[in-house]
Amino acid sequence: MQLRKRSAVLALGGGGARGLAHIGAIEVLRSMELRIERYVGVSIGSLVGALCAIEPDSERLHANVNQYLHSEGFLRMQDKLFAVAPKSEASSNSGVFAWYETIKQFVGTRRKLIHILSRPSLLARDVMQHVVEGLLPDINIEDLDRPLHIVTVDLRTGSPVVLDRGPLREAVIASTAIPGIFPPVPWDDMLLCDIGVLDPVPSRVAQRMASDLTIAVDVCSTIKHKPKVKNAFETFIRMNEIAQGLMRQTAHESADIMIRPDVARVPWFDFTDSELLIGEGRKAARAMMQTLWKAAA
C-alpha cells in the first residue's frame, strides 16, 4: 500500500503513559507525506491528538513534551500517581483495573472500604489539570489548525459523546478522567469521563469521518492468562478486562492500518522514560509501513 499523497484520519487510543508512543508513530506517518485530515482521540490519545493538531513540527512537539515531563511541576504530579500506584502485577493493566490492587492494599476494615468508595475519586482533578494546562493552550477545539474529535462518555445517559467544539483543555480532562480514579467533568447537562474501558481505540468513530484511510494506534496491554480468579470482585474485574479486549478486536477491524507499539511492559502511570515510549511508537510505525510496502511489491 503506497501511503504518499494519501489522506487519513488517525484514531489514537488510551493507555496512560503508554500513549506517548503515539508521538513516535505520528512522527513516522508525517515523514511519509501522508496527509492527516483529522485526529480522533480517547483518553491520553485525546491529549496527544490535541498536541499534534496544534504543532505540525514533530521535532518541536517532541521537545515541548519532554521539557514538560522533566519540569518540577510535572514531577510533583508524578509523585502523586506513584504514591497510590498499584505495586503488583496488576500495574501492567490499564486504568481502573490496575487500581483494584491498590484498593486491596488500602482496605483493612469495612470502615476503610466505605470511606474509599464514598469519595468522589481516588485522585483529585489537579493531577490531570496540571498536565493539560502545562501542555495545551487555553483555546477552543474548533480553533485548532487541524480538526480534532475527543471521545468520552456521559455517565448520566450512558451515551458516548464526541466533542469537536468547546474548551479544549476541559474536553481533554473529561476524556482522561478514568472512572473512579479522577472525578468526572460537568459539560452542559452531561457528566463526562474516560470511555477507554468500553472503547479503548476510537477507530470506529474515525472510520465514519475518513474520506480515504483510517489509521489507528493501539497502546493498550493485551489480556494475559490469569491462572486464579479468587472471588466475586476479581471475577467482575476479569470480565471487564475481557470485554475491553473484545472491544479492541472490533476496533482493529475498523481500521485500514493498525499500529501497535510494544509498550505493555510500561505501567500506565509511569511517564519516567518518555524516550523509550516514543521510540517504540516510531519502531512500530516503521515496521507496519515496511510490511505494507512488501505486500504492495
Side-chain angles (χ1 to χ4, degrees):
M1 181 187 294
Q2 180 58 262
L3 295 186
R4 292 183 186 276
K5 307 303 182 182
R6 298 193 67 172
S7 62
V9 173
L10 297 194
L12 307 176
R18 299 165 186 155
L20 292 175
H22 291 315
I23 296 172
I26 292 169
E27 178 184 314
V28 172
L29 294 174
R30 283 176 167 175
S31 71
M32 302 181 64
E33 299 179 18
L34 176 74
R35 180 178 176 272
I36 300 174
E37 294 181 326
R38 62 188 66 232
Y39 298 91
V40 180
V42 63
S43 197
I44 188 69
S46 72
L47 175 59
V48 175
L51 289 169
C52 292
I54 292 167
E55 178 53 76
D57 186 288
S58 293
E59 289 187 7
R60 282 201 298 265
L61 170 60
H62 189 159
N64 292 341
V65 170
N66 271 343
Q67 181 179 10
Y68 173 73
L69 292 178
H70 290 91
S71 68
E72 183 178 344
F74 176 76
L75 293 177
R76 286 198 300 268
M77 295 302 108
Q78 174 94 337
D79 288 343
K80 289 187 177 183
L81 283 176
F82 276 114
V84 294
K87 303 301 189 295
S88 73
E89 62 180 0
S91 64
S92 65
N93 294 325
S94 297
V96 69
F97 304 128
W99 295 89
Y100 170 51
E101 291 298 321
T102 295
I103 292 174
K104 286 203 302 185
Q105 293 165 16
F106 285 166
V107 175
T109 66
R110 181 173 177 271
R111 180 178 298 176
K112 289 182 181 178
L113 175 62
I114 292 172
H115 173 67
I116 289 175
L117 295 181
S118 63
R119 290 162 55 179
S121 58
L122 191 59
L123 292 172
R125 171 189 165 107
D126 67 324
V127 176
M128 280 312 305
Q129 184 164 338
H130 190 283
V131 173
V132 170
E133 291 182 354
L135 288 171
L136 299 178
D138 186 13
I139 60 175
N140 283 348
I141 303 171
E142 63 268 28
D143 296 329
L144 294 169
D145 292 336
R146 189 73 66 187
L148 171 69
H149 304 267
I150 294 175
V151 185
T152 181
V153 66
D154 178 15
L155 287 176
R156 289 175 176 151
T157 64
S159 300
V161 177
V162 181
L163 303 172
D164 59 6
R165 303 186 67 81
L168 175 64
R169 288 175 172 175
E170 199 70 2
V172 171
I173 291 173
S175 187
T176 55
I178 302 171
I181 308 305
F182 296 109
V185 174
W187 186 289
D188 295 335
D189 59 348
M190 300 179 290
L191 197 58
L192 303 181
C193 70
D194 185 354
I195 196 176
V197 172
L198 303 174
D199 194 6
V201 185
S203 55
R204 287 171 296 175
V205 176
Q207 185 185 48
R208 294 197 295 268
M209 300 174 180
S211 60
D212 189 3
L213 296 174
T214 301
I215 301 178
V217 185
D218 181 3
V219 295
C220 292
S221 59
T222 56
I223 299 178
K224 296 181 179 179
H225 175 70
K226 191 174 181 67
K228 294 182 180 180
V229 181
K230 301 175 184 177
N231 52 49
F233 192 54
E234 286 193 0
T235 299
F236 170 77
I237 294 296
R238 182 59 174 172
M239 283 304 298
N240 276 272
E241 291 175 348
I242 293 170
Q244 186 186 60
L246 294 174
M247 292 300 295
R248 287 174 60 222
Q249 291 179 22
T250 302
H252 287 203
E253 294 167 0
S254 301
D256 297 300
I257 298 172
M258 176 63 67
I259 298 171
R260 294 199 61 196
D262 182 16
V263 291
R265 64 190 181 279
V266 179
W268 73 269
F269 50 84
D270 186 359
F271 290 82
T272 53
D273 199 344
S274 59
E275 289 303 317
L276 168 68
L277 292 162
I278 294 172
E280 289 294 346
R282 287 196 204 98
K283 187 189 303 183
R286 287 170 180 156
M288 177 56 69
M289 295 308 106
Q290 290 174 358
T291 299
L292 292 173
W293 288 331
K294 290 178 182 178

